[in-house]
Amino acid sequence: MSNLSRLLKESWTLVEEQQDKVASYFYARMFLNNPQLRDLFPVQMDVQRSRLLGAIVTAVQTFGDPDQFADYLEALGRDHRKFHVEPQHYDIVGDALIEALRTFAGEEWGYEYEQAWRDGYAAIARKMIEGAEADSANPPYWHAEVLHHERRSRDIAVITCRPMLPLEFRAGQYVSVETRYQPRLWRAYSMANAPRKDGSVDFHVRAVGAGWVSSALVRRVQPGDMIRLGAPMGSMTLDRRSTRDIVCVAGGTGLAPIKALIEEMTRANRTRWVHVFFGARDRDDLYDLDCLNRLAARYPWLSVVTATSDDPEFPGEHGNISQVVARYGPWQDHDFFVSGSATMVRATLRTLAEMQVPAIRIKYDAFGDS
Ligand SMILES: Cc1cc2nc3c(=O)[nH]c(=O)nc-3n(C[C@H](O)[C@H](O)[C@H](O)COP(=O)(O)OP(=O)(O)OC[C@H]3O[C@@H](n4cnc5c(N)ncnc54)[C@H](O)[C@@H]3O)c2cc1C
Ligand code: HEM
């Protein structure tokens, strides 16, 4: 562990148990120092729901060497243009962060700790600002018209929209989405198709529990509505130079980016076998199986295995999809794409580690904290 990482981790333990208080103080400080910043945040803003402080703390602690994460941080800076974040805001946020940490850390807080957080934050902010500046030819977000909205199960919808201006992305990436029902509340959704000539984009959305944005997308949004999309992000894209066969593991709407990747391969692939494992609780949640089966019937290189964890009569595999993948294989020589809930992704990564799949061959996106 580098000296910087050690200082960041050590100092965080001083405030860790008072995170809620640190967060309240941080936002109060930030809005007091610059009241206009309040307009950048969601209307109903309870501290638990706001993600900024948690995101910064995780970023500063994880990205000890920001150059190593340059692509991600530059994309995050580009994405932040949708919040109307300007370069000068970074100092205001950084100062509020340090003040909040210092206030709650008590007497053990010292110069070394403060400098470590300042250095870590400044290096990350620099990369984000560079990313935003390099993107000035693009709009800060894209208005998109909803063309189709189809309910595929109790709580899943497939939505097709068309951005008003060209939106360049790669299969496997995601964008954040905002609806008019929850202004300034943005959530990430993966494009479920490879780029098309008409520019339209599909999303597969599952309404989760009391989820604000997912419920609006599944239950309220209709054709003709306008939604807003942030800049494309994510690196779960196809390595076109690789000749290895591919295994895709999708849980529920985690199928979205996998479907985009399959679509990309239907345009070029002749030589790589692609095995898709698609799992859900019950058959109702295997919402796109007909389409997957049609693709598998048409492309000899594509095979699909489906599994349910909670549907004993289902005529396919049974169990969690991570366990099902382990029944097939061996997989040491394959490229992997894994996408779904954090629990599902974690379980699959564990299985793959046990099966000796090198981590470098695995790309994944977890739909939540992993
Ligand atoms: C990179 C990335 C790509 C994503 N792509 C997709 C996608 O293609 N399709 C899709 O449907 N979702 C996708 N998600 C998840 C999506 O961004 C939202 O997190 C999800 O829709 C919930 O948002 P919300 O505003 O409705 O819920 P929130 O208001 O954020 O949360 C409400 C409550 O639900 C709980 N909750 C949040 N997420 C889940 C969950 N997955 N399961 C159970 N409980 C949950 C929260 O803990 C909270 O208590 C993706 C996430 C990431 C990070
Ligand atoms: C080191 C600097 C920063 C990092 C690493 C960072 C990272 C993040 C991340 C990862 C999210 C969550 C996105 C999501 O899941 O939806 C977020 C949200 C947000 N960020 Fe940043 N951010 C930084 C600086 C800033 C600055 C300077 C501003 C300007 C005020 C800002 C404004 C916001 C807003 C408004 C949100 C959404 C509201 C919320 O949910 O809290 N961020 N940030």
Side-chain angles (χ1 to χ4, degrees):
M1 196 190 288
S2 73
N3 195 33
L4 181 66
S5 310
R6 184 183 57 75
L7 290 170
L8 294 169
K9 292 220 157 61
E10 227 171 69
S11 51
W12 180 246
T13 59
L14 302 175
V15 298
E16 205 166 14
E17 280 172 15
Q18 307 177 73
Q19 277 182 55
D20 289 351
K21 286 189 195 155
V22 174
S24 300
Y25 189 92
F26 162 76
Y27 288 109
R29 203 68 243 167
M30 187 166 72
F31 298 149
L32 205 66
N33 289 348
N34 193 325
Q36 295 96 304
L37 276 189
R38 179 63 187 91
D39 293 340
L40 275 49
F41 285 80
V43 182
Q44 316 104 311
M45 201 189 121
D46 47 68
V47 165
Q48 288 74 18
R49 273 188 198 278
S50 183
R51 298 161 178 221
L52 172 59
L53 178 65
I56 293 179
V57 170
T58 311
V60 174
Q61 295 203 342
T62 315
F63 307 148
D65 174 7
D67 285 334
Q68 210 188 324
F69 296 95
D71 287 350
Y72 171 74
L73 291 170
E74 282 162 17
L76 191 61
R78 209 157 52 233
D79 170 79
H80 266 53
R81 294 183 63 215
K82 73 185 186 223
F83 296 129
H84 304 285
V85 171
E86 299 289 340
Q88 66 273 18
H89 294 148
Y90 282 88
D91 282 348
I92 299 166
V93 168
D95 289 344
L97 169 75
I98 304 288
E99 255 188 85
L101 293 173
R102 189 194 306 124
T103 304
F104 288 91
E107 286 174 4
E108 286 177 63
W109 185 260
Y111 168 80
E112 266 199 321
Y113 288 159
E114 182 145 335
Q115 200 55 41
W117 281 90
R118 281 204 190 282
D119 291 348
Y121 177 85
I124 289 169
R126 211 160 33 241
K127 284 268 171 276
M128 289 177 67
I129 293 170
E130 278 168 20
E133 282 174 355
D135 194 47
S136 55
N138 278 319
Y141 47 77
W142 282 255
H143 293 283
E145 182 185 358
V146 175
L147 304 177
H148 303 288
H149 186 285
E150 192 187 340
R151 284 290 280 273
R152 290 275 181 92
S153 79
R154 282 180 308 267
D155 47 17
I156 294 177
V158 171
I159 300 164
T160 304
C161 64
R162 183 160 42 228
M164 298 286 139
L165 292 171
L167 171 68
E168 278 181 32
F169 68 93
R170 281 202 60 191
Q173 287 195 297
Y174 57 90
V175 290
S176 43
V177 177
E178 182 218 38
T179 72
R180 68 188 164 94
Y181 302 104
Q182 312 292 345
R184 286 178 256 155
L185 218 50
W186 297 78
R187 297 286 184 263
Y189 296 94
S190 308
M191 275 70 78
N193 58 287
R196 295 176 180 143
K197 284 210 178 81
D198 72 357
S200 64
V201 178
D202 293 344
F203 295 107
H204 298 176
V205 183
R206 187 168 84 82
V208 299
W212 289 102
V213 179
S214 61
S215 304
L217 283 167
V218 172
R219 307 212 160 92
R220 299 182 76 178
V221 162
Q222 295 171 359
D225 275 355
M226 299 300 285
I227 57 177
R228 294 199 289 175
L229 313 179
M233 292 185 72
S235 51
M236 205 176 74
T237 51
L238 195 65
D239 177 357
R240 293 173 187 146
R241 291 160 312 176
S242 170
T243 52
R244 274 187 284 277
D245 293 336
I246 293 172
V247 181
C248 300
V249 190
T253 47
L255 182 64
I258 301 294
K259 194 157 173 216
L261 291 164
I262 297 172
E263 217 175 280
E264 176 172 341
M265 284 182 281
T266 61
R267 294 174 188 172
N269 181 41
R270 302 259 181 292
T271 52
R272 303 171 77 179
W273 295 100
V274 180
H275 308 274
V276 176
F277 290 85
F278 178 30
R281 255 172 327 192
D282 53 34
R283 67 192 81 185
D284 196 37
D285 278 352
L286 293 170
Y287 63 95
D288 208 32
L289 192 51
D290 290 349
C291 182
L292 269 186
N293 284 337
R294 273 198 303 278
L295 286 168
R298 180 155 174 208
Y299 297 99
W301 44 262
L302 179 66
S303 70
V304 178
V305 172
T306 46
T308 55
S309 56
D310 224 358
D311 188 349
E313 306 301 317
F314 175 68
E317 292 277 355
H318 295 262
N320 291 328
I321 198 67
S322 58
Q323 300 161 336
V324 175
V325 175
R327 286 176 211 151
Y328 293 71
W331 300 123
Q332 285 95 329
D333 297 323
H334 288 67
D335 285 341
F336 267 82
F337 295 95
V338 183
S339 163
S341 71
T343 315
M344 173 266 169
V345 170
R346 248 193 319 262
T348 307
L349 295 181
R350 218 175 299 126
T351 301
L352 299 183
E354 282 161 13
M355 295 181 82
Q356 322 281 330
V357 176
I360 195 160
R361 305 236 177 97
I362 308 170
K363 292 188 178 183
Y364 63 90
D365 267 337
F367 289 8
D369 298 333
S370 56

